[in-house]
Each structure stands twice: as structure tokens, then as C-alpha cells.
Amino acid sequence: MFGRIVNLFKAFLNVFIGSVERQNPEALLELEKENLREQIGNFNQGLASHAGLAERLMGQVRKLEADERELRAKASAHLKAGNRSAAGQYALRLQTVERELEENRRQLAQAEETYQNMLKARDVAVANARAKIEGLRGAIADMRMNKAMAEMHEMAAGMISEIGGSGDTLNRLHEMVEEERQKAAGRARVAKDAIDMTEVNVKEAEMNALAEQALADFTAREGITLDTDRAAAAPAGTRTMGVATPEKGSAEQA
């Protein structure tokens, strides 16, 4: 019974965690990036240890190479001097050093090859992980954008289906505004028809007459001749000039 309760609790916990992860993929991606950095750090520590082993083998190889040269020189010198026993001892030690040198060189080559393989494997793994992270970042951004676009389309579809329906607030408001506008237009028309324009027209004619009289008085005082006055005086002037012409001709004949 207790085991079933534990399993049920684990199931609920997994569902909750899965729901949180689905809602926050960026946080999960950041966690994986942190795990990748930690793994790279641990791998680099192991790589450094292996590089240290290769350096020790390289130091041993250099020391054995120096011992080999020294023993070979000593064996040759004692042999040339006729000391066959000493030359034999040096030759025996030289064989041991040569075997150790060959073994260390083989181990060094293997260590160097392993180091290069580990370095290459690390670089490939890191590049692959970074490519996946970048791909996931782009996928998350695309998912967010598509989700937002879907929500906008759903909202627009809902608005299209709701706006303009029966009993809609906008329709009621439009009807109310149209009714009030028509009422206001009717009142304005009624008020316009109720105005008595006879008195207004009489007042306007009276004001125009007074203005013309004032203008005539002003031009008379100032000695200004208006175009209308000149047009009115033109026929009289013409008759005067017609009468005066014969008189001028008579005087010249006299």
C-alpha cells in the first residue's frame, strides 16, 4: 500500500515537473547549458591529467636517451682501451636502457595519440552540443512566435464571430447615435422653418440703403467720383460736347 502511494506521488511529481518544463523551456535549456559547462570542466581536468602523464613519459624518454648516449660512449671508450669487462658491463646496461627507452617511446606515442583523440572528441562533442543548443534556442523562439501568432489568430477569429452579432453593444450604440442624430436634424429643420425672414429682409434692405446714403455723403464731402457716378454722368457730358462743337467752328470762321 505504501509503495503504491509512493508511486502515485512520483507520478504526480513527474507530471508537475513535465508541465513546468513545457511552460519554461528556456530555463531547461539554461540548465542543460550549465550541465554542459560542468561536463566540459570535468573532461578538461581528465585531459590535463592525461597531458601530465604524457609529459612525464616525455621526460623519461629524454632522460633515457641521454643515458643511452652516455652508456654507448663509455662502452666504446672502454672497448677501445682494451677494458673488455667494463665495456661489457656498460653494454649490458645499455641494452636495459634501450629496452626501457623503446617501451617509454611506445607508451609516449600511445599517450600522445590518446590525448589527441580525447581533444578531438571533446571539440566535436562541444561543437555538437552547442549546435543543438543553438538549434533549440531557435526552435524555442519559433515556438513562442508561432504560439503568439496562433493566439492572435484565435483572438481575431473570436472577434470576427462576436462583433456585429445580434444584441452587440456596438450595434446598439450605432442605432442610438443614428436615432439621436436624426432627431437633432429634425429639430434644426423645424427651428429653421419657424424663423420669420420678412423682418430680417426688411432690416437688411434698410441697412443697405443707409450704407449707400452714407457712402454718397462721404464721396460728396471728399470730392471723390465713383465709377457709378461717372457712368451716370457720361450721357450728359456727351450732349454738352456735341453742342459746343459748332460754336467752336463758328468762331474760327469769324
Side-chain angles (χ1 to χ4, degrees):
M1 185 67 180
F2 180 74
R4 292 173 61 187
I5 294 175
V6 171
N7 292 333
L8 184 62
F9 178 75
K10 288 181 178 179
F12 279 119
L13 186 61
N14 290 332
V15 171
F16 175 74
I17 293 175
S19 176
V20 172
E21 289 178 348
R22 287 180 179 275
Q23 294 177 0
N24 299 280
E26 293 87 353
L28 188 61
L29 182 62
E30 290 297 326
L31 178 61
E32 290 301 321
K33 288 172 64 177
E34 187 64 28
N35 292 335
L36 177 62
R37 284 192 289 267
E38 184 177 355
Q39 292 176 2
I40 291 174
N42 295 333
F43 191 88
N44 287 336
Q45 289 181 358
L47 196 61
S49 299
H50 190 79
L53 175 62
E55 289 294 329
R56 286 194 297 272
L57 288 172
M58 192 177 297
Q60 291 179 4
V61 167
R62 287 195 293 267
K63 181 179 181 300
L64 289 173
E65 287 176 349
D67 292 342
E68 181 188 22
R69 290 191 297 270
E70 182 180 359
L71 291 174
R72 182 176 286 108
K74 289 182 178 181
S76 298
H78 281 285
L79 185 59
K80 290 178 181 179
N83 298 325
R84 296 179 60 85
S85 177
Q89 293 295 325
Y90 283 117
L92 184 61
R93 291 174 57 187
L94 179 61
Q95 289 180 353
T96 303
V97 169
E98 287 176 348
R99 286 194 300 269
E100 292 179 357
L101 180 60
E102 183 180 358
E103 180 64 21
N104 286 339
R105 284 175 175 171
R106 185 181 61 80
Q107 293 178 0
L108 178 60
Q110 291 179 352
E112 186 65 23
E113 183 180 1
T114 302
Y115 176 79
Q116 294 298 330
N117 291 336
M118 291 175 65
L119 190 63
K120 184 177 181 180
R122 183 202 64 180
D123 294 340
V124 171
V126 170
N128 189 24
R130 286 178 177 173
K132 287 183 178 180
I133 289 173
E134 292 299 326
L136 285 172
R137 183 181 289 111
I140 290 173
D142 188 63
M143 177 197 69
R144 295 292 188 193
M145 183 182 66
N146 290 334
K147 186 176 180 181
M149 290 295 294
E151 292 176 354
M152 291 177 63
H153 288 308
E154 291 173 356
M155 185 183 302
M159 290 176 65
I160 291 173
S161 62
E162 292 176 3
I163 293 179
S166 59
D168 187 77
T169 304
L170 293 179
N171 285 338
R172 292 198 305 270
L173 180 60
H174 179 70
E175 292 175 359
M176 291 169 57
V177 171
E178 282 295 321
E179 183 179 356
E180 293 297 325
R181 186 178 67 83
Q182 292 173 2
K183 288 181 179 180
R187 290 177 60 188
R189 183 175 180 180
V190 170
K192 180 180 178 182
D193 293 339
I195 297 175
D196 186 7
M197 297 299 296
T198 303
E199 185 177 357
V200 174
N201 293 331
V202 170
K203 289 289 185 181
E204 183 181 7
E206 182 180 352
M207 290 179 65
N208 291 334
L210 291 174
E212 289 293 332
Q213 183 62 39
L215 182 60
D217 293 341
F218 175 75
T219 54
R221 288 196 306 269
E222 298 294 330
I224 301 173
T225 302
L226 298 177
D227 293 338
T228 55
D229 297 339
R230 293 174 182 175
T238 304
R239 288 196 299 269
T240 303
M241 293 177 66
V243 173
T245 304
E247 293 179 357
K248 184 175 179 182
S250 301
E252 290 177 354
Q253 291 176 359

